[in-house]
Amino acid sequence: MTSDFRPQSGFLTVLVERGFLHQCSDLAGLDQIAKSGDLVAYTGFDCTAPSLHAGSLVQIMLLRWLQKTGGKPIALMGGGTTRVGDPSGKDASRQLLPLETIAANKDGIKNVFARFLSFGEGKRDAIIPDNADWLATLNYIDFLRDVGRHFSVNRMLSLDSVKLRLERDQELSFLEFNYMCLQAYDFVELFKRHGCVLQMGGSDQWGNIVTGIDLGRRMGTRQLYGLTSPLLTSSSGAKMGKSAQGAVWLDESMLPVFDYWQYWRNCEDQDTGRFLKLFTELPLDEIARLEALGGAEINEAKKILATEAAAMVHGREAALRAAGAARQTFEEGALAESLPSVKIPAAEIEAGLGVLTAFVRSGLVASTGEARRQIIGGGLKINDRTVTDERMVIGPRDLTGGVVKLSLGRKRHVLLKIA
């Protein structure tokens, strides 16, 4: 992006001011279309898991800001391309999923967008098509003759997603090699069906996006555009959307709201202002004020980030409950009923539940071996008392109001409740 570019459209103004913009194929041309109110843009989401995680939030927010500034967003489900697997940024081939799993994942992913976009039949209403609708019915010979002839293998081999795998002597299947052809064809098909002229994605998608622009030119579409956002990492280099405990899912059934809130509350101080711009809709002057806070006051900014980010995904009420639970747990020392919980049959508590088993079933540790290591390091607590003996059992005497509080470190807690 050129430093002297001054956007005239509301859409690109937001992207520049909030740090969403990394690359664009033609800033001036795209700006004029966005200014006219006729911009239709899409981002693709492959159906590789039952939910999206926080690493997808930048792309979701791009679609949201597009709609808020007068454009029409398309959240493209990759029901077709998921059958192939995107090699971008991958050191090995993706595991091929059964069609039933892809369909179930697609249904789960669709639910995420209801919080961010307004769907309907209007000019600016979002739509959520599935590329399987056109990819699954393609005739292979016809595709090679009509579309495949426009692709240069020389250029495809020069793309980072391919070149890196070849340089490392890592296998790249013919199936994956075709992924960029299908993604490029998606762009052309979305132009034909919906007048879509912009594809957005992370910076690792730049090669695939440019390939789609070139295919459109060769197949006679109007000028198409590409735009990428930075691939985000924390100040320490950690990848967005991942935590020490695994993926930061956007589905409450896969990650409790409290844990989602905690993920943002625990961000690094240096990232607070940047994340407020990207993952909330707070005014920029308010973000500037919060970003300027120093010392212990930065924690108040991080709480606001956590509440606003959680509200975007789970709703304001759930976010405030999570914030209240955190306040009770960490600041008031109370036992917050809204902490994540796991139900245990009363008979198991009566008989005595082993501490190693309890922590595994709570999800705080992945295995009894990890539980033992945490006990040695003083990392596990029951009702705020440090566990020192791996042979300890949890019984009726440990119940407080019918629950037992398990803790891993200072910030992760789960309640065992009698079923």
Side-chain angles (χ1 to χ4, degrees):
M1 187 186 78
T2 57
S3 58
D4 59 349
F5 174 68
R6 296 292 181 268
Q8 300 178 34
S9 65
F11 179 56
L12 286 186
T13 296
V14 168
L15 268 53
V16 170
E17 290 179 344
R18 289 183 173 262
F20 284 99
L21 191 54
H22 180 65
Q23 291 170 292
C24 182
S25 60
D26 179 0
L27 278 170
L30 180 60
D31 195 34
Q32 288 303 306
I33 298 175
K35 184 181 177 182
S36 74
D38 294 326
L39 180 59
V40 182
Y42 91 97
T43 300
F45 300 88
D46 276 347
C47 309
T48 54
S51 172
L52 299 175
H53 59 65
S56 299
L57 273 176
V58 169
Q59 301 310 313
I60 298 173
M61 290 299 292
L62 280 171
L63 292 174
R64 180 174 172 86
W65 280 116
L66 172 67
Q67 188 169 49
K68 288 173 71 72
T69 55
K72 183 181 183 70
I74 299 175
L76 179 65
M77 295 292 97
T81 42
T82 306
R83 304 181 191 186
V84 175
D86 183 4
S88 300
K90 299 291 180 290
D91 292 332
S93 299
R94 288 186 186 272
Q95 179 183 359
L96 295 181
L97 300 176
L99 298 186
E100 297 79 11
T101 301
I102 293 173
N105 289 348
K106 181 178 70 173
D107 291 339
I109 289 171
K110 280 183 175 181
N111 294 331
V112 173
F113 291 100
R115 291 278 187 189
F116 291 87
L117 302 174
S118 173
F119 292 89
E121 302 297 326
K123 178 181 178 182
R124 294 182 176 85
D125 285 335
I127 58 174
I128 190 163
D130 182 352
N131 62 14
D133 291 344
W134 53 85
L135 295 181
T137 58
L138 284 176
N139 178 286
Y140 188 57
I141 297 296
D142 290 343
F143 183 78
L144 289 178
R145 284 175 53 89
D146 299 338
V147 181
R149 62 191 178 91
H150 296 301
F151 291 98
S152 164
V153 172
N154 305 61
R155 186 177 179 284
M156 293 166 74
L157 289 172
S158 72
L159 296 179
D160 286 343
S161 59
V162 175
K163 186 167 60 176
L164 289 175
R165 291 271 285 274
L166 297 179
E167 288 176 350
R168 296 170 180 170
D169 291 327
Q170 294 165 335
E171 182 176 303
L172 180 73
S173 71
F174 178 71
L175 192 66
E176 292 176 289
F177 194 60
N178 277 270
Y179 184 95
M180 65 188 76
C181 302
L182 299 181
Q183 182 172 335
Y185 185 70
D186 282 344
F187 202 173
V188 174
E189 194 68 25
L190 287 171
F191 171 78
K192 291 178 180 178
R193 292 177 179 230
H194 304 291
C196 179
V197 296
L198 171 64
Q199 180 181 175
M200 302 184 290
S203 58
D204 62 334
Q205 292 294 314
W206 182 248
N208 289 348
I209 291 173
V210 171
T211 300
I213 294 173
D214 184 62
L215 179 63
R217 178 181 60 81
R218 293 173 184 272
M219 294 186 69
T221 70
R222 60 174 284 191
Q223 177 65 55
L224 302 180
Y225 300 86
L227 181 152
T228 62
S229 58
L231 282 184
L232 286 188
T233 59
S234 69
S235 295
S236 62
K239 190 176 182 180
M240 283 298 299
K242 303 285 185 179
S243 71
Q245 290 73 44
V248 183
W249 298 109
L250 305 184
D251 187 323
E252 185 178 359
S253 67
M254 299 176 70
L255 184 75
V257 181
F258 180 83
D259 289 348
Y260 187 80
W261 189 95
Q262 281 291 113
Y263 172 75
W264 297 103
R265 167 62 181 84
N266 295 334
C267 77
E268 297 170 39
D269 292 356
Q270 308 94 300
D271 293 327
T272 306
R274 183 165 57 117
F275 289 174
L276 282 165
K277 290 178 182 177
L278 291 170
F279 304 118
T280 81
E281 293 177 340
L282 290 177
L284 291 175
D285 56 353
E286 174 66 5
I287 292 174
R289 184 189 70 80
L290 294 170
E291 193 174 13
L293 295 176
E297 287 186 319
I298 192 65
N299 290 325
E300 295 306 312
K302 291 160 74 171
K303 292 175 190 175
I304 292 172
L305 166 64
T307 300
E308 294 298 318
M312 294 288 291
V313 175
H314 297 293
R316 178 71 53 185
E317 185 178 343
L320 291 175
R321 282 200 303 269
R327 183 176 60 254
Q328 286 181 276
T329 303
F330 302 124
E331 298 175 21
E332 300 170 8
L335 192 62
E337 282 295 310
S338 54
L339 286 172
S341 62
V342 174
K343 291 189 176 182
I344 300 293
E348 292 191 43
I349 298 294
E350 289 288 343
L353 180 64
V355 65
L356 300 179
T357 300
F359 274 90
V360 171
R361 287 173 64 176
S362 75
L364 289 171
V365 297
S367 65
T368 55
E370 183 184 349
R372 289 190 179 94
R373 291 191 293 273
Q374 290 290 348
I375 290 172
I376 293 171
L380 301 187
K381 292 184 179 181
I382 295 176
N383 293 333
D384 297 323
R385 297 190 301 273
T386 302
V387 178
T388 57
D389 185 355
E390 69 176 52
R391 296 168 298 178
M392 175 183 174
V393 295
I394 297 172
R397 67 185 182 282
D398 298 303
L399 293 170
T400 302
V403 302
V404 180
K405 179 184 175 186
L406 305 186
S407 304
L408 170 61
R410 295 174 52 205
K411 297 179 178 178
R412 297 197 67 214
H413 311 275
V414 170
L415 302 181
L416 295 186
K417 293 186 175 182
I418 299 298

